[in-house]
Amino acid sequence: MALLSLVLAGCGKVDPVHHLPPQVAPGGCDEIITFGARLPFPASSLQGPPEPGAQEAWQIDPSSDPVGLKLLDALGQTPTDKDGVAQRALPVSDSVLILSGGSQQGAFGAGFMSAWEQHRGGSLPRFKLVTGISTGALQATFAFLGDTKTIVEEYSITSESELLKPLVRGKFEQRPVRAAISLTRAGTLARLQPLRDRLMHLINEDVLVAVAREAKLHQRTLLVGAVEMGSGEMAVFDLTKAASLYVENLTGHPDRAKQMRGCYIEALLASSSVPMSAAPVFIDNRLYIDGGARFGVLVDLTPNAFRRKVAEARALERAADVPRNLFVIVNATLEVPAFCGLTKCAAGDDGQAVKPPPGTPHPEWTFLQLAQRTVSVMTNQAYRSSVFIANQQATSKEFKTSFVRLEPEHLRFPTRIDFPGAGQEEKICYQWQRDDEAIDNPKEFFPRYMRCLIAYGKQHPKAAAFAAAEPR
């Protein structure tokens, strides 16, 4: 801990962290990236009430918001057939699906989407727009294609090593000196190479062709977000465009096709690269980290896209009962875990925090504990704020919001799990989590707990409500 304190305080020379070269050639992914997603400032009320026709609060000029323009275009496209003829009868939804970050808790979203599909008779809606951040980015491709089976399989791991390669055994607080050395030398406590290998298998030619087909024939859009650290801006990766460029170049320019597949996969990794837990990702010689550093969900950051879509629907004299839904799945509780001092409180058998009696002296604290707790609180606020903005914009523009999150009570959910050595005993999710710690001591991904989260998601009552919002 003393070494780490010196490093964090800057008392000593720390060599720069070396890294692998960019995974794609410089400039190779520029075609699919849009920078500039940010929340607008509210309109000033100091000058009195706004004039009729003036911009609303929280609305900015779309020309200054390239991401808003991209989303506006995505929602405003008309489905076409192979000959470019308008096909409004095709079963493409007018709705939007937003998938949040949440690391291993994406297992909840996996189970929930599986139940949602079953309640609709075996298919998800064919959303006009799907967006994902972090673990939501990893889910987004297969949610876009309506393949919940693959999403569930992604989170049904038997070992953390299937997703990351730890550089230090045990958790940070268990081996602080070795962890500090790893951070200074490698810039991370683990590498995502196992996840990259997994994505190389999952994002194959068949998947890319299917994504490209949906983009071309039905003007559907799939976007994920990561933070570009040079500018500090959210970068939005258009995966439908990456897939389309892959298909276009398969025959005549196979190297370019291979490059676009690399752009697609590296975008997913960039969106999921949480500092310290994984090394940042280099794309086109730019440094990217987890999109959750700015937003918990990737949304249209101006109301213009929603307004335009509603106006178009009215102009086409669409039926009043045509659903226009914003579906939001938050792979997190949106709660800051209760800490006693700056460490986890003792927990009862049900996983609930047991706080010390009133009057108990506050325990000692360290700079590292304070820094970690501060990041946790700030990240939680970013998630809450972006979910709130998404809901406010959607409902104000006549979209109906269907929202679900991982409830804190999930720790008390009892289930059996299909897992090597688990047997037939029923345990609550908290107990499965404790088994993971006792047997494997993972850093971030607890396989038994993740199986419990999948089961919890599959029985969640809101899955039926999501299905009712947009029947098959």
Side-chain angles (χ1 to χ4, degrees), residues 298-438:
L298 178 59
V299 296
D300 174 20
L301 300 179
T302 73
N304 294 290
F306 291 113
R307 178 184 295 105
R308 175 77 63 84
K309 189 62 182 172
V310 171
E312 287 179 352
R314 286 175 173 166
L316 292 168
E317 297 182 350
R318 306 267 326 248
D321 60 350
V322 171
R324 301 182 189 96
N325 293 301
L326 175 69
F327 295 107
V328 182
I329 299 178
V330 177
N331 295 298
T333 63
L334 296 180
E335 304 288 346
V336 179
F339 271 35
C340 297
L342 290 174
T343 60
K344 290 183 179 179
C345 301
D349 291 338
D350 61 354
Q352 299 302 297
V354 179
K355 296 184 178 181
T360 302
H362 196 287
E364 297 288 335
W365 61 275
T366 67
F367 171 77
L368 176 61
Q369 290 173 333
L370 182 61
Q372 289 177 319
R373 185 61 169 170
T374 300
V375 170
S376 175
V377 172
M378 293 174 67
T379 301
N380 177 266
Q381 186 59 44
Y383 271 54
R384 281 178 168 264
S385 297
S386 53
V387 169
F388 173 78
I389 292 294
N391 177 64
Q392 288 293 100
Q393 291 178 353
T395 53
S396 68
K397 304 308 169 192
E398 301 181 25
F399 275 64
K400 177 184 177 183
T401 300
S402 294
F403 167 82
V404 68
R405 65 165 178 155
L406 177 62
E407 301 291 341
E409 290 74 19
H410 77 276
L411 289 172
R412 298 196 293 271
F413 174 71
T415 188
R416 299 181 181 89
I417 63 172
D418 179 15
F419 192 87
Q424 295 299 309
E425 185 179 0
E426 183 176 88
K427 299 181 182 181
I428 62 174
C429 288
Y430 175 66
Q431 292 170 325
W432 289 121
Q433 189 179 60
R434 287 198 304 182
D435 284 354
D436 282 317
E437 288 191 333

Side-chain angles (χ1 to χ4, degrees), residues 66 72 75 263 397 422 454:
L72 188 153
L75 287 170
C263 292
K397 304 308 169 192
I454 291 172

Side-chain angles (χ1 to χ4, degrees), residues 102-108 154-164 170-174 277 344 410-411 417-420 428-455:
S103 189
Q104 65 174 342
Q105 293 180 329
F108 159 68
E154 282 187 68
Y155 291 86
S156 300
I157 60 173
T158 58
S159 171
E160 183 179 56
S161 63
E162 295 175 41
L163 299 177
L164 57 80
K171 296 182 180 61
F172 195 111
E173 60 271 18
Q174 294 169 335
S277 296
K344 290 183 179 179
H410 77 276
L411 289 172
I417 63 172
D418 179 15
F419 192 87
I428 62 174
C429 288
Y430 175 66
Q431 292 170 325
W432 289 121
Q433 189 179 60
R434 287 198 304 182
D435 284 354
D436 282 317
E437 288 191 333
I439 298 169
D440 301 320
N441 194 23
K443 285 185 179 299
E444 186 171 352
F445 297 98
F446 292 61
R448 297 166 185 82
Y449 171 62
M450 290 169 69
R451 298 288 179 110
C452 191
L453 287 178
I454 291 172

Side-chain angles (χ1 to χ4, degrees), residues 208-279:
L208 292 171
V209 168
V211 171
R213 183 185 303 118
E214 290 298 309
K216 180 178 180 181
L217 300 186
H218 307 296
Q219 275 62 58
R220 299 178 63 209
T221 303
L222 170 61
L223 306 174
V224 301
V227 176
E228 196 277 307
M229 295 304 287
S231 64
E233 298 282 8
M234 176 70 83
V236 176
F237 294 81
D238 187 339
L239 299 188
T240 31
K241 188 168 185 178
S244 298
L245 289 170
Y246 170 83
V247 172
E248 290 174 14
N249 287 282
L250 261 179
T251 303
H253 303 89
D255 288 344
R256 177 61 172 156
K258 180 180 178 181
Q259 188 180 59
M260 292 317 301
R261 179 171 177 245
C263 292
Y264 194 115
I265 291 170
E266 294 305 312
L268 298 180
L269 286 165
S271 186
S272 309
S273 180
V274 181
M276 289 206 306
S277 296

